[in-house]
Amino acid sequence: MIENKTRPKKIILTGFMGTGKTVVGKLLAAKLRWLHFDTDALIENSEGLSVSDIFEKKGEPHFRKLEKRCFEGLISLNEVVITTGGGTLLDEECFKMANDEGIILCLWASEEELRKRISKDKTRPLLKSGFEDLLKLLKEREPQYKKMGIQIDTTDLTPEQVCQKIIVIAGLNG
Ligand code: S3P
């Protein structure tokens, strides 16, 4: 439970690909009757291209710029659940904005669970070189993720249970 903080007005979900950010974010927003925004979905809509195509046609640095701009636009809103891409808060300025303005929840899942959830997914550009390389990336990012807000392991939890946990932790129950 968050103490000495006023009732939060923004929840920001981060964590590696496949940890359930989007599914949980949607459900959480519905439960709180808040709005839900997903940075990847907004970027895809505004560019008219999938994240994969943006990586391929315009390059990852361009995607990162769009991602940052998108996040900067969302963070001023209230009563929102913001689902970020797994790389969004690795940008120091985005992390600082999220940390100053809202509550960050960093979702996790075991390697085995990640394998089940995403290893066959063709839509993720960073999976192109294979699941083992993705795990290397997770290891590289792990120290940064560990410093990001409240850590929640979703491996054995349903999205409903993850939401309940977040609601209690964030002091949004009642
Ligand atoms: C990325 C995660 C993806 C997407 C892009 C890059 C990352 O989002 O933003 O493929 O760098 O971790 P999800 O975490 O929602 O899959």
Side-chain angles (χ1 to χ4, degrees):
M1 171 80 139
I2 304 281
E3 280 167 25
N4 300 327
K5 242 194 165 181
T6 50
R7 191 176 162 85
K9 294 197 172 61
K10 17 210 151 194
I11 301 265
I12 301 111
L13 298 181
T14 185
F16 202 58
M17 288 162 261
T19 53
K21 301 182 294 283
T22 306
V23 176
V24 168
K26 260 187 208 153
L27 186 61
L28 182 64
K31 283 183 177 299
L32 296 171
R33 300 194 183 175
W34 286 8
L35 292 174
H36 171 239
F37 294 101
D38 179 275
T39 54
D40 283 347
L42 288 171
I43 293 167
E44 288 187 331
N45 283 341
S46 69
E47 293 297 291
L49 288 173
S50 67
V51 169
S52 227
D53 282 342
I54 299 171
F55 266 66
E56 203 171 305
K57 299 193 167 121
K58 303 190 173 176
E60 182 172 345
H62 180 71
F63 173 77
R64 298 299 174 196
K65 269 189 215 147
L66 296 173
E67 182 174 47
K68 186 165 183 176
R69 198 191 308 154
C70 177
F71 186 72
E72 283 167 347
L74 293 175
I75 197 66
S76 59
L77 303 174
N78 284 324
E79 303 208 328
V80 283
V81 177
I82 305 172
T83 308
T84 61
T88 317
L89 297 196
L90 298 175
D91 177 277
E92 265 178 40
E93 284 171 3
C94 287
F95 171 72
K96 189 172 180 330
M97 283 185 265
N99 201 34
D100 289 348
E101 296 284 331
I103 294 202
I104 305 173
L105 284 306
C106 183
L107 305 190
W108 289 88
S110 67
E111 284 184 14
E112 200 187 332
E113 187 62 26
L114 289 180
R115 193 182 296 274
K116 268 194 241 156
R117 292 185 194 170
I118 62 169
S119 63
K120 305 244 158 44
D121 189 341
K122 298 267 178 284
T123 66
R124 294 174 200 262
L126 295 175
L127 239 175
K128 282 232 161 86
S129 54
F131 187 70
E132 300 315 314
D133 277 357
L134 204 72
L135 288 182
K136 276 190 212 148
L137 183 64
L138 172 59
K139 285 275 165 276
E140 275 169 38
R141 288 181 179 181
E142 193 169 323
Q144 283 163 285
Y145 285 142
K146 290 275 185 211
K147 289 188 206 147
M148 289 180 191
I150 297 154
Q151 312 281 311
I152 299 185
D153 186 355
T154 69
T155 308
D156 297 316
L157 300 178
T158 62
E160 176 73 36
Q161 288 169 323
V162 178
C163 286
Q164 286 309 335
K165 235 180 157 162
I166 294 175
I167 287 171
V168 172
I169 290 171
L172 288 164
N173 46 344

